[in-house]
Amino acid sequence: MTFTEVAFTSYPATDLAASRAFYENVLGLKPAKVLSMGDGSGWIEYELGSHTFGIGKSDKWEHGICCALETDDLDAAVAAMKTAGTKFLMEPFDTPVCRMAMVLDPAGNKIMIHQRKPGNH
Protein backbone atom coordinates (compact mmCIF):
# COMPACT_ATOMS: atom_id res chain seq x y z
CA MET A 1 0.00 0.00 0.00
CA THR A 2 1.48 3.33 -1.08
CA PHE A 3 0.22 6.84 -0.36
CA THR A 4 1.54 9.67 -2.52
CA GLU A 5 0.02 12.85 -1.08
CA VAL A 6 -2.85 14.40 0.80
CA ALA A 7 -5.53 14.48 -1.90
CA PHE A 8 -7.78 16.87 -0.01
CA THR A 9 -8.92 18.08 3.37
CA SER A 10 -12.60 18.81 3.87
CA TYR A 11 -14.69 20.68 6.39
CA PRO A 12 -18.44 20.41 6.82
CA ALA A 13 -20.51 23.59 6.56
CA THR A 14 -23.70 24.22 8.48
CA ASP A 15 -24.46 27.18 6.19
CA LEU A 16 -22.67 26.69 2.86
CA ALA A 17 -23.24 30.26 1.65
CA ALA A 18 -21.80 31.73 4.86
CA SER A 19 -18.82 29.38 4.77
CA ARG A 20 -18.19 30.15 1.12
CA ALA A 21 -18.34 33.89 1.83
CA PHE A 22 -15.78 33.46 4.62
CA TYR A 23 -13.30 31.41 2.61
CA GLU A 24 -13.62 33.54 -0.52
CA ASN A 25 -14.25 37.07 0.80
CA VAL A 26 -12.27 36.98 4.05
CA LEU A 27 -9.48 34.52 3.22
CA GLY A 28 -9.38 35.31 -0.50
CA LEU A 29 -9.57 31.71 -1.75
CA LYS A 30 -10.73 31.18 -5.34
CA PRO A 31 -13.12 28.27 -6.04
CA ALA A 32 -11.80 25.68 -8.48
CA LYS A 33 -14.93 23.54 -8.52
CA VAL A 34 -18.47 24.26 -7.34
CA LEU A 35 -21.16 21.60 -7.17
CA SER A 36 -24.63 22.71 -6.13
CA MET A 37 -26.94 19.99 -4.88
CA GLY A 38 -29.89 22.31 -4.24
CA ASP A 39 -31.58 23.14 -0.94
CA GLY A 40 -28.39 24.81 0.37
CA SER A 41 -26.33 21.64 -0.07
CA GLY A 42 -23.20 21.39 -2.18
CA TRP A 43 -19.44 20.99 -2.45
CA ILE A 44 -16.80 23.64 -3.18
CA GLU A 45 -13.11 22.95 -3.82
CA TYR A 46 -10.23 25.40 -3.49
CA GLU A 47 -6.85 24.49 -4.99
CA LEU A 48 -3.91 25.48 -2.77
CA GLY A 49 -0.71 24.45 -4.53
CA SER A 50 -0.97 20.71 -5.05
CA HIS A 51 -3.53 20.41 -2.23
CA THR A 52 -7.32 20.71 -2.43
CA PHE A 53 -9.35 22.13 0.44
CA GLY A 54 -13.07 21.45 0.25
CA ILE A 55 -16.16 22.60 2.09
CA GLY A 56 -19.50 20.92 1.80
CA LYS A 57 -22.99 20.59 3.16
CA SER A 58 -25.26 17.58 2.87
CA ASP A 59 -27.82 15.88 5.06
CA LYS A 60 -25.70 12.75 4.66
CA TRP A 61 -22.45 14.42 5.77
CA GLU A 62 -21.94 13.10 9.29
CA HIS A 63 -18.19 12.56 9.39
CA GLY A 64 -16.92 16.05 10.23
CA ILE A 65 -13.41 17.17 9.29
CA CYS A 66 -11.58 14.70 7.11
CA CYS A 67 -8.19 14.24 5.48
CA ALA A 68 -8.01 12.19 2.27
CA LEU A 69 -4.82 10.27 1.52
CA GLU A 70 -4.11 9.56 -2.14
CA THR A 71 -3.19 5.98 -3.01
CA ASP A 72 -2.12 4.47 -6.29
CA ASP A 73 -4.22 1.31 -5.66
CA LEU A 74 -7.42 1.73 -3.67
CA ASP A 75 -8.35 -1.96 -3.87
CA ALA A 76 -5.00 -3.06 -2.44
CA ALA A 77 -5.16 -0.43 0.33
CA VAL A 78 -8.70 -1.48 1.28
CA ALA A 79 -7.72 -5.17 1.32
CA ALA A 80 -4.68 -4.48 3.52
CA MET A 81 -6.71 -2.37 5.95
CA LYS A 82 -9.45 -5.01 6.18
CA THR A 83 -6.81 -7.68 6.89
CA ALA A 84 -5.47 -5.43 9.67
CA GLY A 85 -8.97 -5.13 11.18
CA THR A 86 -9.43 -1.44 10.35
CA LYS A 87 -12.94 -0.11 11.01
CA PHE A 88 -14.66 1.19 7.86
CA LEU A 89 -17.22 3.98 8.12
CA MET A 90 -17.81 3.99 4.36
CA GLU A 91 -17.03 1.09 2.06
CA PRO A 92 -15.38 2.00 -1.27
CA PHE A 93 -17.59 4.07 -3.56
CA ASP A 94 -17.23 5.85 -6.90
CA THR A 95 -17.67 9.47 -7.89
CA PRO A 96 -17.21 10.86 -11.40
CA VAL A 97 -13.57 11.79 -10.62
CA CYS A 98 -12.41 9.32 -7.95
CA ARG A 99 -12.96 6.27 -5.78
CA MET A 100 -12.74 6.42 -2.01
CA ALA A 101 -13.49 4.78 1.32
CA MET A 102 -13.51 6.13 4.87
CA VAL A 103 -11.81 4.45 7.83
CA LEU A 104 -11.07 5.23 11.47
CA ASP A 105 -7.62 5.35 13.00
CA PRO A 106 -7.10 3.98 16.55
CA ALA A 107 -8.04 7.36 18.09
CA GLY A 108 -11.29 7.53 16.13
CA ASN A 109 -10.10 10.10 13.58
CA LYS A 110 -11.65 9.80 10.15
CA ILE A 111 -9.33 9.17 7.20
CA MET A 112 -10.48 9.03 3.60
CA ILE A 113 -8.56 6.62 1.38
CA HIS A 114 -8.72 8.16 -2.08
CA GLN A 115 -7.74 7.31 -5.66
CA ARG A 116 -8.24 9.74 -8.53
CA LYS A 117 -9.52 8.37 -11.81
CA PRO A 118 -7.22 8.94 -14.83
CA GLY A 119 -7.24 12.53 -16.07
CA ASN A 120 -8.32 14.06 -12.75
CA HIS A 121 -6.18 15.99 -10.33
Side-chain angles (χ1 to χ4, degrees), residues 62-66 87 89 102-111:
E62 300 173 357
H63 58 75
I65 297 169
C66 185
K87 181 175 180 181
L89 289 180
M102 185 179 291
V103 301
L104 291 176
D105 75 3
N109 298 305
K110 292 128 188 128
I111 302 289

Side-chain angles (χ1 to χ4, degrees), residues 16 35-43 56-58 61:
L16 190 57
L35 174 63
S36 176
M37 294 184 237
D39 206 21
S41 296
W43 174 255
K57 181 176 189 304
S58 168
W61 189 328

Side-chain angles (χ1 to χ4, degrees), residues 35-91:
L35 174 63
S36 176
M37 294 184 237
D39 206 21
S41 296
W43 174 255
I44 303 165
E45 292 183 354
Y46 303 95
E47 300 296 334
L48 301 165
S50 64
H51 187 75
T52 298
F53 171 70
I55 58 172
K57 181 176 189 304
S58 168
D59 291 340
K60 297 178 182 176
W61 189 328
E62 300 173 357
H63 58 75
I65 297 169
C66 185
C67 177
L69 302 179
E70 185 71 17
T71 182
D72 54 2
D73 188 340
L74 184 75
D75 294 327
V78 166
M81 286 184 280
K82 286 188 175 196
T83 297
T86 303
K87 181 175 180 181
F88 279 73
L89 289 180
M90 297 162 89
E91 290 292 327

